[in-house]
Amino acid sequence: MPSNQLALSPILRELQVLSHWRDQIAGRLHDLAALTTDLGLLPGGTVLRLETLAYGIGQDSLRVAFVGEFSRGKTELINALFFANVGGRLLPSSSGQTTMCPVEIRGAPQGNPGMQLLPIASRTLDVTIEKLKKAGSAWTRIPLGLENTSGRNAALAHLTETICVPVEEARRFGLCPPLNRTPKDRERTVCPSCGLGKVLIPRWRHALIYLPHPMLDAGLTVLDTPGLNAIGAEPELTFGMLADADAIIFVLGADTGVTQSDLAIWEQYLMRNPSQKQLVILNKVDTLWDELRGWSEVEAEIARQIDATAARLGVRREQVIPVSGQKGLVARIRQDGDLLTRSGLSVLEEAIATILVPAQEASIRERCRAVVERTVMDQKAILRDQMQGIMAQMDSMRRLKEKTGEKVPKLVAQHQQILRSFEADRRAFEQKKTAFRAAVEEGLLAPLAPGTFDLIISNAKGEMLSAWTTAGIVERFKSFFADAIARFDAALEGAQQVATLVAEEYQPLQARYHLPQLGAIPYAIMPRRAELLTMAENYERFGMKLEIAVNTQGAVVRKAFLTVASRIRDFVLETRHEAESWVDEIMAVMNRQMEIFQAKSEEELAALESISQAMGNIDTRILQLQRALEDRQADMRQVDARWTLLLPLLRQDHPASELKAHNP
């Protein structure tokens, strides 16, 4: 579409609103983190969480994956939706040009276009694609000049490249059946066009394309995937990229309906992720156009296809959208409004803008709200305690003023004794920290140690390689997750022991010196154990569907398990880090409460000693307390002000109308 039409795109409009909203959220989170640092009421880990959250939201993108069988027109649909402004096809999608590897399209850093291709030989490495993205030497870089059409098309044609390799090499890549699973008449060759003993495979494993484009710059990332065979042969695509996508656009052919292979993709890889928003596209709807029938008859036929598709996939009817990507692209280029309407492309654009983009906003809001609410509420609770303590001191000073000076020396002696006793108890408490840390290490952190999980993964990997049946693979998936969950349960029991030990040491000091109660600091492990159980259930279901992969090559099963194992190991390391943060936070809170008590007691003692020298100092002390109270009240107003700024952005209703009013 021309640039002026692109500017009117509802997708671009909503992405820009979302981007502006993310920037506002990130800025106000930075402000809240700065105020939290200035007030010094909460541990440093809280500030780090706020800053990390702010950075993550600022860098967030809407990751949309286009999934479907070969020849369903996924690439042509991407061209029509996002890149018609180039005046032709950006990505190769003509007859005979099939995308052979997953293609990830992102915004161009500093506006410089480019393309990176990961050779197919990298499949032999036990390294994930996500980690290889950080290793520049692993990729082949291709210049991508957008102004020169022929040069651009030649560069992008690499996405369709294949190579002929010996059958043994293809098996090593996990792209060809092993000999014991190859029919007798095809043991020497699988693809006659390559010659005896050779087979045709994709040249590239993954592609990254960086383009200067308003939608991509506003936070859109597009993932174009090959068909069922490629999805099954690349476990990281199924267990990683598709699972991590924020939204799925499942592309079917209107001329074929839901085929058995379409249904296999849907049931095995797409339908079980409740956190994703999904649209189902009946593409190539122009194949149903018939000049010998009236348009009302054609529409009735399309409606029947929609009903049948929704029933077959078990989705709502409004999730199924009939489209002709090819006609939509032609209509965009020729600026043919009638053809564009018939293509259904505008309806799809509106669905992406009103369903997928708001769903991403809701996901960000959910991530943000819990952290912000806890930070604000914790600081307000501490400020309220401090204000109550100051007011209690003021009342005490006023009552003291009414008493005779003869009682002051006695009060001084009492405060001195309290401080001596407290100092002795605090030294004893510090000496017990070594035992406390040992309990933390043994009971809480040791079960989640990286070395332990490396051993579990290594053992499970060995067992996985020896399994050649679906049942065996599923059993090893279950066994792996059972071991992982058992370590989580051990850590959870250790967390309970740590909490009990903390209470046993802190509660006597709390009762003796009237220290504030420890806040209900949630365990870092319990909710993450629930996440692990959910992941286990999902991956076991995936594992049950790996029969295709098992029948293809043991290397594929190994890749699938290594991808899952890598994600679970990272998950465990994150949990261990959060458990360490939890322990540090407990210790920081206890230390802070004791520091506050000691500082307050020393302040009161100094005031009493001053009073004992000159009763006239009481009025001065009351004035000091009054100013301290006013300072705490000012701090409370600042916290409330930050919360007031963030609250409208975290409301459940969509902020687009409000933001558009300020950003026409």
Side-chain angles (χ1 to χ4, degrees), residues 313-333:
L313 299 182
V315 299
R316 300 190 309 277
R317 191 181 190 279
E318 52 268 28
Q319 286 180 255
V320 183
I321 301 174
V323 172
S324 171
Q326 191 270 336
K327 299 301 181 187
L329 179 61
V330 171
R332 288 292 194 202
I333 294 172

Side-chain angles (χ1 to χ4, degrees), residues 635-651:
D635 292 341
M636 181 72 82
R637 287 193 295 272
Q638 288 193 74
V639 174
D640 282 333
R642 297 298 192 279
W643 176 235
T644 301
L645 288 173
L646 271 166
L647 184 58
L649 296 172
L650 299 178
R651 290 198 310 260

Side-chain angles (χ1 to χ4, degrees), residues 438-473:
V440 168
E441 184 65 36
E442 179 180 355
L444 176 57
L445 300 182
L448 302 178
T452 300
F453 275 84
D454 287 340
L455 181 60
I456 292 175
I457 292 171
S458 176
N459 293 339
K461 176 181 175 183
E463 295 175 357
M464 187 69 68
L465 292 174
S466 65
W468 288 99
T469 67
T470 301
I473 291 169

